[in-house]
Amino acid sequence: MKQLMPFVVALLSLTGAALRAQNISASTQLRPAAGRRVLALAGREISGEQLEQMLAGSNREPDVKVAKQLSDLELTERLSAARLARCEANLRGPDARRALIALADRSSFLDPPISEIPAIAEPDPQAQRRMIALSEDYVKKAIHQLPNLYATRVTISFQHNKEPLHWVSTESAIVRYRDGQEERPRVRTVPVGDGSGAGGMTTAGEFGPILYVALVDSAQGNLTWSHWEQGAASPEAVYRYAVIAGKSHYHVNGQYRGYHGEITVDPSNGTIRRLVLRADPEPNLPLLKADIVVEYGPVELGGKTYICPLKGIALSATWNRWWLNDVAFEQYHLYQANAQLLPGFAKVP
């Protein structure tokens, strides 16, 4: 890999930028004692193609049985949206569908299978600098051009403690984006299982701040070319980076953590389509794992197309518990205020 020349990004406000920790107190000191084994998520490894073949006839199996089979698996490669849709089409019940979501989400931190990586030559340094300059311009300008809007933010939460990774709650909330600021009301929660509800970490700042964090930090964090990936319409460029704690704006559980990750860019216009942030391991901290993925895509609003957040995934863990929060942004609408003049009222002096 060749390191790109550094590029300059104006450091804008990062208030509330990376992510929000829930139900993990900053004062909690969960440290594994000497020799204590950290709870693992490992399952039987399977490729995306093998998973699709396994689920081909699963619609004849009981929902709970298929869900149990899926919870015992671990993918070796990222599951594409197309393959995920084909797998989901073979499932008959909600338990299996949620288990598939959890399995696919964990694979989101992996590379796609080699067969899905376009065989395109690495762009020369000048072309790479041009892509990054477009992304810089996009982060500084284009995201401020988002209209006032609102969307439904649905969070499906999973936990792994005494039993394998399982569904614990679903939350739904209306998110408003007005005058360049994101507003988050209280959520409506449907807890199940042990009644503990959602926990761990969830993504935040998807409408702008998290983009600043990733781009500002990666500019000084060994940004390097990685590979091409096939996007929905055309190939997209993937860059990798690593940021030390002293230069990080990735705020996790009250501390700035060193981290590494990926930025996926549309080379034609610089729009950022995917972000990966993975905290570097620090065994003496309460939160041992703090990884997120945010995906962006086109949304039509008022006859125009905007790039908006579509999905977020947050995977976090202490020594004895894992959390997985799957966030989906749905039902986008323009936020409009209507006023009506009513006749027949006298003017008040």
Side-chain angles (χ1 to χ4, degrees):
M1 296 182 181
K2 300 176 182 178
Q3 182 174 341
L4 288 178
M5 293 177 61
F7 57 95
V8 178
V9 181
L11 183 59
L12 304 179
S13 173
L14 300 177
T15 303
L19 51 84
R20 170 169 62 93
Q22 296 180 330
N23 298 342
I24 300 177
S25 171
S27 61
T28 303
Q29 295 298 319
L30 293 176
R31 300 179 183 178
R36 178 174 285 175
R37 184 177 179 182
V38 176
L39 186 66
L41 277 178
R44 180 169 66 88
E45 293 188 341
I46 188 172
S47 69
E49 183 179 4
Q50 290 170 330
L51 175 66
E52 188 174 355
Q53 292 171 353
M54 185 192 87
L55 295 178
S58 63
N59 54 6
R60 296 187 294 271
E61 299 288 339
D63 183 37
V64 175
K65 179 180 178 181
V66 178
K68 176 62 170 61
Q69 292 173 337
L70 290 171
S71 67
D72 292 333
L73 299 176
E74 200 71 31
L75 285 164
T76 58
E77 58 198 17
R78 194 190 315 161
L79 201 64
S80 67
R83 176 158 277 158
L84 174 60
R86 293 195 297 269
C87 289
E88 189 175 18
N90 288 308
L91 302 180
R92 61 186 295 182
D95 289 338
R97 290 194 181 97
R98 284 191 289 263
L100 178 62
I101 289 173
L103 180 61
D105 282 357
R106 299 199 303 276
S107 80
S108 296
F109 298 94
L110 305 175
D111 288 334
I114 295 177
S115 60
E116 296 180 9
I117 296 179
I120 304 175
E122 175 182 340
D124 60 47
Q126 182 177 358
Q128 292 185 42
R129 285 193 292 270
R130 184 166 56 249
M131 291 181 205
I132 298 302
L134 287 171
S135 291
E136 175 191 347
D137 188 63
Y138 167 69
V139 170
K140 290 194 296 184
K141 298 178 181 178
I143 58 176
H144 295 293
Q145 297 173 5
L146 283 176
N148 292 342
L149 57 83
Y150 65 95
T152 302
R153 187 181 196 269
V154 179
T155 303
I156 305 174
S157 298
F158 303 86
Q159 258 189 53
H160 174 41
N161 42 23
K162 296 179 181 179
E163 54 184 298
L165 197 68
H166 59 283
W167 175 55
V168 293
S169 70
T170 298
E171 299 177 348
S172 179
I174 301 299
V175 179
R176 292 176 176 85
Y177 181 82
R178 291 189 294 182
D179 301 324
Q181 298 294 324
E182 180 181 338
E183 302 173 5
R184 293 197 176 200
R186 292 181 178 180
V187 298
R188 300 188 300 275
T189 306
V190 183
V192 297
D194 58 11
S196 59
M201 299 189 314
T202 184
T203 58
E206 294 93 339
F207 287 90
I210 199 171
L211 296 173
Y212 301 140
V213 167
L215 202 56
V216 168
D217 284 358
S218 64
Q220 56 187 352
N222 303 315
L223 188 69
T224 57
W225 170 261
S226 180
H227 60 278
W228 292 101
E229 287 187 6
Q230 183 58 50
S234 59
E236 297 169 349
V238 181
Y239 295 88
R240 289 182 174 165
Y241 63 92
V243 183
I244 62 174
K247 296 184 177 180
S248 170
H249 292 92
Y250 188 36
H251 196 256
V252 180
N253 203 29
Q255 294 186 340
Y256 290 103
R257 295 278 293 271
Y259 68 103
H260 58 281
E262 294 181 358
I263 298 179
T264 301
V265 174
D266 184 333
S268 66
N269 54 26
T271 56
I272 295 176
R273 296 307 185 96
R274 182 171 178 268
L275 288 176
V276 179
L277 293 81
R278 309 192 70 178
D280 294 336
E282 294 190 36
N284 291 327
L285 293 181
L287 202 59
L288 303 180
K289 179 176 284 292
D291 302 342
I292 65 173
V293 175
V294 182
E295 298 176 356
Y296 295 84
V299 173
E300 185 175 338
L301 292 166
K304 295 183 179 180
T305 300
Y306 300 91
I307 302 299
C308 298
L310 300 180
K311 186 176 180 66
I313 299 165
L315 183 64
S316 53
T318 61
W319 69 268
N320 65 346
R321 182 170 296 197
W322 289 72
W323 294 270
L324 174 65
N325 286 310
D326 176 281
V327 177
F329 292 88
E330 305 171 348
Q331 302 176 30
Y332 274 92
H333 299 277
L334 287 176
Y335 189 90
Q336 297 174 329
N338 296 319
Q340 184 178 5
L341 296 177
L342 300 177
F345 291 88
K347 183 176 179 181
V348 178

